[in-house]
Amino acid sequence: MTASENFLVSIVGKDQVGVISEVTSYLFDVGANIADSSYAVLGGGFEFSAVATFTSGDTPDEISNGLANLQTLAGARIAVAPFAFETTRGETATISHVVEITGGDRPGLIARISEVLVEYGANVVRMSSKRNVDEAGQAHYRTRFAIWAPEDRVQALESALFNTAGSLRLECTLEVV
């Protein structure tokens, strides 16, 4: 039986069609089993991260060098490092609700909403924020928090989120997943 090691693979590069396909094909070819992964377009770039179990015995440098040879990753920043945490998720990493805040630009919005989430014992599992500019040149933002929240605190959390968003003149929704 071959020993296995868990690594965190992090890549930041120029966004283009085929990045996920080429990266995940390479990882499969070198014996990686991806546990969790994430991909996001950020402006004209992308960020890919994955926790993967490798049975090939390759070192982080060998994996990183192999990724660097991929055409879609030319000029990308690639990091492969040991992952010292469990690869399975606990209860608080399960998404129970999605909070969406929409409206104009409000500096500090993410900090204010995340403080409310902490106050009510909610854990952020994923977060994304996106700016869209309309035809009149006006910026509109949509920030989404995929969270786990304790069932007995959801009603109070919802009220606090709506009050906080309202004080910033923003719209808020809370959806059960």
Side-chain angles (χ1 to χ4, degrees):
M1 180 168 175
T2 306
S4 62
E5 290 189 71
N6 297 322
F7 294 119
L8 174 63
V9 178
S10 301
I11 306 168
V12 176
K14 183 180 183 312
D15 183 47
Q16 58 187 299
V17 173
V19 171
I20 294 172
S21 176
E22 196 169 33
V23 168
T24 57
S25 291
Y26 170 80
L27 293 174
F28 174 77
D29 289 345
V30 297
N33 184 17
I34 297 174
D36 277 333
S37 63
S38 174
Y39 183 90
V41 172
L42 303 170
F46 75 87
E47 178 183 43
F48 171 86
S49 61
V51 174
T53 302
F54 289 81
T55 57
S56 63
D58 289 351
T59 67
D61 284 342
E62 291 169 327
I63 297 163
S64 181
N65 290 338
L67 288 165
N69 288 326
L70 300 178
Q71 186 175 12
T72 59
L73 299 186
R77 187 192 72 194
I78 301 166
V80 179
F83 188 75
F85 306 100
E86 293 291 326
T87 58
T88 55
R89 294 176 175 223
E91 177 190 22
T92 61
T94 302
I95 298 169
S96 63
H97 297 81
V98 174
V99 177
E100 185 170 279
I101 310 290
T102 57
D105 187 11
R106 300 293 185 269
L109 164 68
I110 293 172
R112 299 268 313 269
I113 296 299
S114 62
E115 289 166 357
V116 171
L117 294 170
V118 167
E119 185 177 333
Y120 290 88
N123 186 47
V124 177
V125 179
R126 291 212 177 266
M127 188 212 70
S128 66
S129 185
K130 184 176 180 182
R131 179 177 78 124
N132 292 312
V133 178
D134 65 20
E135 295 160 358
Q138 185 72 26
H140 302 276
Y141 291 81
R142 183 180 84 181
T143 303
R144 298 185 79 193
F145 296 86
I147 66 168
W148 171 86
E151 197 171 313
D152 62 337
R153 302 198 71 196
V154 170
Q155 191 170 15
L157 170 62
E158 182 175 28
S159 293
L161 288 167
F162 279 71
N163 288 338
T164 301
S167 73
L168 296 168
R169 295 184 314 277
L170 299 169
E171 298 292 320
C172 177
T173 61
L174 178 70
E175 176 187 331
V176 176
V177 175

